[in-house]
Amino acid sequence: MIVMKFGGSSVDSPSSIERVVGIVRSLLDRKPVVVVSAMAKTTRRLLRCADAAASGDLDMPRAFAILNELRDFHWQIAHAVVEPGGHGVLEAMLDRYFGELREQIDEVAAAGRLSARAADAVASFGELLSSAILSLALDRPEDGIEAPWIDCRQVLVTDDSFNRAKPIYEQTEPRMRKAFLPHVEAGRVPVVGGYVGATRDGITTTLGKEGSDFSAAIVGAALGAEEVQIWTDVDGMMTADPRIVRGARCIRTLSFGEALELACSGAKKPHWGTLGPASRADVPIRILNSWAPHLDRGIGEGTLIGRRNPAAKPGIKSVTWRANAHRVTVRGVHGGGPGFRSDVFAVCERYRPALMVVDAGPEEVELALGQADRLFEIRAALTQTGEVHVAPGQAVVTLVSDDLAADPELATRILTLIGALAEKAEPRLVTKGVAAPCIRCLVSEESAPDAVTLLHEKIFGHRPGEPVE
Ligand code: ADP
Ligand code: MG
């Protein structure tokens, strides 16, 4: 049994959905369960619609215009991919969901504000619609394929932290097994929406941005899948963000720790949440390209994320970066004093891993804060130890590899490369990974794309088509 997850970019038009149907059909012998995101841009449009409704009568026409646009978009795609015999069921489903969505929007308008709870209720329609449409498109009883729809709100139980709900595994796993396994055993292909769940009391929640990958891993872990496949629009995890670095190459294998470190350091894929359930259940994750599945030659290999592969050649796996970082300088009053450094380090320990040490002298300690969200608290804590200066507009560049721990030569080589950036980026070094060994450096936000491109070129050279082992 495998879990196949398709992202918004894989279900954005009738031809993409046909392609997805083809990919799923080609893997029927592996007993797939399908998890799907909302169709491209739908979540954003739904939330824009709710925002317009919350801002008052004057904006209601805009809310209704978005609603109509969403209706037309889903109606057209769905009619193109569902066989005419299924159109009756399809139209009833679309009417029901758009009726319910309209009620939600009216409630938001009446409240005059968009609560986190209402935002989740509105956003959930993206996955409810895409999963229902995909299930109808896959369902071809005349070809012997049945694709029952599973309501994600019935199987993924979460707490009530709306917009970033946490799964409650003890309740979710038995529900998932009960809902999916009988279908899988009977040769059917269940389809479920990602990203969305509900509390024990049935109130709709979402797992947060890009949460469908996370849902797929939760399903895979609950069902003990052979593999969770995340189908997207690139060949796999890449050695750098392919939108910034043209020569980025596909990585063949990553350990769970390396993937988690990358996901937390700015790589868009996979969602950081996927690694927890997958590694706990020891279910590998494979990232694959739904635009180039190489169906004729068996699927492309993509990137396999799993247990560490001891046979792989040692080297850096990927370079990634995250903007919106801050450089925090703490100067000890009266030239430091005996307790100064340990006081600063105590604050670092408390706010780990948000706060990383860059450089520590007797009178001055330089730190990097990877995200702005705890700046206020951290600044207050550091003010107790000395004079604090904060420079925003920084980026943290991260190079990840398990091999950095065992191979001092590799680390030395990377440090030399970073040193050579000095003219361009004025980098400052931060070591220490959270999930896997890595080397980080802090550079200004504007110079980050250049710094990443340069480091990438030095490490991976110009062999774009060639995968990195
Ligand atoms: P989906 O719609 O399938 O969920 P996303 O758009 O959320 O896909 O994520 C895929 C995108 O992530 C890719 O198109 C790619 O541009 C971007 N990306 C950024 N960094 C990386 C990386 N290191 N490896 C692979 N993809 C990356
Ligand atoms: Mg996505």
Side-chain angles (χ1 to χ4, degrees):
M1 205 263 311
I2 57 171
V3 174
M4 305 178 77
K5 179 260 168 177
F6 295 92
S9 56
S10 302
V11 287
D12 61 351
S13 66
S15 60
S16 326
I17 295 178
E18 287 298 343
R19 218 178 38 243
V20 165
V21 168
I23 295 171
V24 174
R25 285 175 148 218
S26 75
L27 293 175
L28 286 179
D29 56 336
R30 297 190 68 188
K31 297 186 177 293
V33 168
V34 176
V35 179
V36 65
S37 301
M39 293 198 212
K41 302 195 187 90
T42 298
T43 311
R44 220 176 320 144
R45 286 184 187 170
L46 283 164
L47 291 172
R48 256 199 287 127
C49 174
D51 269 332
S55 38
D57 289 348
L58 281 177
D59 284 312
M60 267 328 257
R62 197 155 54 86
F64 290 138
I66 301 174
L67 213 52
N68 286 336
E69 207 184 308
L70 278 168
R71 203 195 149 84
D72 291 347
F73 176 67
H74 283 84
W75 202 92
Q76 276 169 14
I77 293 187
H79 277 76
V81 297
V82 175
E83 304 273 281
H87 285 187
V89 180
L90 174 66
E91 274 156 32
M93 181 275 288
L94 290 173
D95 279 343
R96 197 178 106 225
Y97 280 148
F98 278 97
E100 285 175 18
L101 176 56
R102 171 69 199 263
E103 277 168 30
Q104 282 291 340
I105 294 295
D106 286 340
E107 270 177 40
V108 170
R113 63 181 277 270
L114 182 61
S115 65
R117 174 175 163 164
D120 277 0
V122 170
S124 70
F125 284 94
E127 273 71 13
L128 292 175
L129 284 160
S130 64
S131 57
I133 292 170
L134 185 59
S135 117
L136 290 172
L138 267 170
D139 197 67
R140 310 241 165 115
E142 65 279 16
D143 297 334
I145 303 175
E146 281 180 75
W149 178 74
I150 306 288
D151 187 342
C152 43
R153 299 166 301 185
Q154 304 281 335
V155 292
L156 179 51
V157 187
T158 73
D159 68 3
D160 63 357
S161 37
F162 297 104
N163 298 179
R164 45 161 192 270
K166 287 189 204 63
I168 301 174
Y169 290 98
E170 309 84 79
Q171 290 173 33
T172 298
E173 296 198 333
R175 286 200 195 193
M176 287 186 165
R177 285 195 280 268
K178 196 162 155 226
F180 290 103
L181 289 179
H183 286 308
V184 174
E185 277 151 21
R188 293 187 282 263
V189 183
V191 180
V192 67
Y195 172 66
V196 177
T199 64
R200 240 171 312 187
D201 305 327
I203 300 162
T204 302
T205 55
T206 68
L207 299 178
K209 214 160 172 268
E210 301 296 329
S212 290
D213 290 7
F214 192 4
S215 300
I218 297 167
V219 174
L223 306 186
E226 262 169 66
E227 183 168 289
V228 173
Q229 300 183 339
I230 296 181
W231 290 84
T232 183
D233 59 355
V234 281
D235 286 343
M237 284 295 285
M238 310 292 282
T239 49
D241 185 341
R243 284 166 302 188
I244 308 254
V245 178
R246 274 164 175 246
R249 294 161 60 184
C250 182
I251 310 164
R252 277 262 184 269
T253 59
L254 281 173
S255 68
F256 287 121
E258 288 172 332
L260 179 56
E261 191 66 52
L262 280 173
C264 296
S265 306
K268 219 180 150 196
K269 286 248 137 237
H271 180 283
W272 58 269
T274 55
L275 285 324
S279 63
R280 272 195 300 278
D282 202 12
V283 175
I285 296 178
R286 197 184 283 278
I287 315 279
L288 291 154
N289 192 347
S290 74
W291 291 81
H294 307 305
L295 290 173
D296 49 334
R297 291 181 275 131
I299 54 168
E301 277 182 55
T303 302
L304 186 65
I305 301 170
R307 285 198 207 165
R308 213 180 148 199
N309 171 12
K313 213 171 91 205
I316 294 293
K317 295 291 186 164
S318 191
V319 189
T320 186
W321 64 289
R322 199 156 81 181
N324 201 18
H326 294 68
R327 190 166 71 223
V328 181
T329 315
V330 193
R331 188 165 304 122
V333 274
H334 316 303
F340 167 65
R341 287 214 305 191
S342 52
D343 289 348
V344 174
F345 292 154
V347 176
C348 290
E349 275 303 306
R350 191 159 6 126
Y351 291 98
R352 207 174 41 140
L355 201 57
M356 299 168 282
V357 182
V358 178
D359 198 4
E363 294 171 20
E364 195 175 272
V365 178
E366 209 169 54
L367 305 165
L369 176 60
Q371 295 145 287
D373 55 355
R374 304 192 76 181
L375 181 59
F376 184 77
E377 284 168 272
I378 291 172
R379 188 179 199 151
L382 287 170
T383 305
Q384 311 287 319
T385 67
E387 228 172 84
V388 184
H389 177 74
V390 177
Q394 308 290 306
V396 179
V397 175
T398 303
L399 298 100
V400 179
S401 172
D402 282 333
D403 305 322
L404 283 166
D407 189 341
E409 257 175 52
L410 180 63
T412 313
R413 191 161 67 82
I414 299 305
L415 294 180
T416 313
L417 288 178
I418 291 176
L421 279 184
E423 275 166 51
K424 266 213 144 69
E426 221 190 310
R428 288 154 197 258
L429 197 66
V430 187
T431 45
K432 195 171 190 172
V434 181
C438 70
I439 293 178
R440 300 188 204 280
C441 71
L442 198 64
V443 301
S444 74
E445 234 165 50
E446 336 49 289
S447 62
D450 279 350
V452 168
T453 307
L454 214 74
L455 282 171
H456 185 275
E457 191 183 306
K458 300 259 188 254
I459 296 168
F460 300 102
H462 279 297
R463 292 189 296 278
E466 208 176 296
V468 170
E469 285 308 317

